[in-house]
C-alpha cells in the first residue's frame, strides 16, 4: 500500500527483491511513497556477485556507488561494451534502453543507490526465476 507520508525511508523499512546475486530495496517508488517520475533504491551485492547484462527499455538509470569496488559495463551507442573499475563516490549514467551490468570485484560487500526514470522498469525483476520477496526487516 502506498503511503505518501513516507518521505524518510530506510532500506530495512521496505520489502526487498532478493536474487542469487544480491538484493534491491526500493525506497522511493510509486508503490512505496507515491513518487511519480522516478523510482530508486539500495542494491547490495556480495563479493563476487553482480547483475548480468540487461537493459530497461524506455528508461534511463543512475547508479551511485556507496561502498565497495567493482566493474561496471555500459554499452556505447553502437552496442560495444565499455567497462570501468568503479568505487565509492562514482556515478554511472546508463542512457535510455542501454545494456549494462555490474560485478562486485572487491573482498567485501558492494552497495549501490540506483534511480530509474521513469519509474517501473525495476518491477520486471519480479519475473526473474531467482526472484524472492524479502519482507521489511528480513534478511
Amino acid at each position: 500500500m502506498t503511503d505518501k507520508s513516507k518521505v524518510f525511508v530506510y532500506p530495512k523499512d521496505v520489502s526487498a527483491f532478493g536474487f542469487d546475486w544480491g538484493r534491491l530495496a526500493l525506497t522511493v517508488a510509486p508503490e512505496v511513497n507515491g513518487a511519480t517520475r522516478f523510482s530508486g533504491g539500495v542494491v547490495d551485492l556480495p563479493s563476487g556477485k553482480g547483475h548480468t547484462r540487461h537493459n530497461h527499455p524506455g528508461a534511463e538509470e543512475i547508479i551511485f556507488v556507496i561502498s565497495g569496488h567493482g566493474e561496471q559495463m555500459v554499452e556505447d551507442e553502437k552496442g560495444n561494451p565499455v567497462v570501468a573499475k568503479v568505487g565509492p563516490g562514482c556515478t554511472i549514467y546508463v542512457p535510455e534502453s542501454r545494456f549494462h551490468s555490474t560485478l562486485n570485484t572487491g573482498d567485501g560487500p558492494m552497495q549501490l543507490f540506483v534511480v530509474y526514470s521513469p519509474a517501473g522498469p525495476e518491477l520486471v525483476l519480479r519475473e526473474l526465476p531467482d526472484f524472492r520477496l524479502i519482507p521489511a526487516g528480513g534478511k
Side-chain angles (χ1 to χ4, degrees):
M1 178 181 221
T2 300
D3 182 351
K4 292 187 179 191
S5 70
K6 284 189 173 182
V7 294
F8 303 103
V9 182
Y10 288 90
K12 67 178 178 53
D13 296 335
V14 294
S15 60
F17 296 1
F19 307 94
D20 293 344
W21 52 262
R23 64 189 277 153
L24 165 63
L26 290 174
T27 53
V28 58
E31 65 275 16
V32 174
N33 45 21
T36 58
R37 293 188 173 98
F38 58 87
S39 59
V42 177
V43 174
D44 292 295
L45 300 173
S47 182
K49 299 288 186 175
H51 51 79
T52 58
R53 179 183 177 273
H54 66 285
N55 73 341
H56 307 285
E60 295 176 294
E61 182 177 1
I62 297 168
I63 303 170
F64 180 79
V65 181
I66 298 169
S67 62
H69 293 86
E71 287 185 356
Q72 180 67 50
M73 186 280 292
V74 179
E75 290 186 353
D76 66 17
E77 60 280 348
K78 295 180 182 177
N80 300 309
V82 177
V83 179
K85 293 188 182 307
V86 296
C90 183
T91 299
I92 299 106
Y93 168 62
V94 182
E96 181 179 337
S97 304
R98 197 76 56 88
F99 282 91
H100 58 286
S101 63
T102 308
L103 175 64
N104 178 352
T105 58
D107 294 334
M110 184 178 195
Q111 191 171 64
L112 313 169
F113 189 80
V114 297
V115 177
Y116 306 96
S117 178
E122 69 286 352
L123 298 179
V124 174
L125 295 170
R126 291 176 175 259
E127 298 171 14
L128 295 176
D130 63 337
F131 169 81
R132 65 192 179 285
L133 190 62
I134 302 169
K139 302 243 178 196

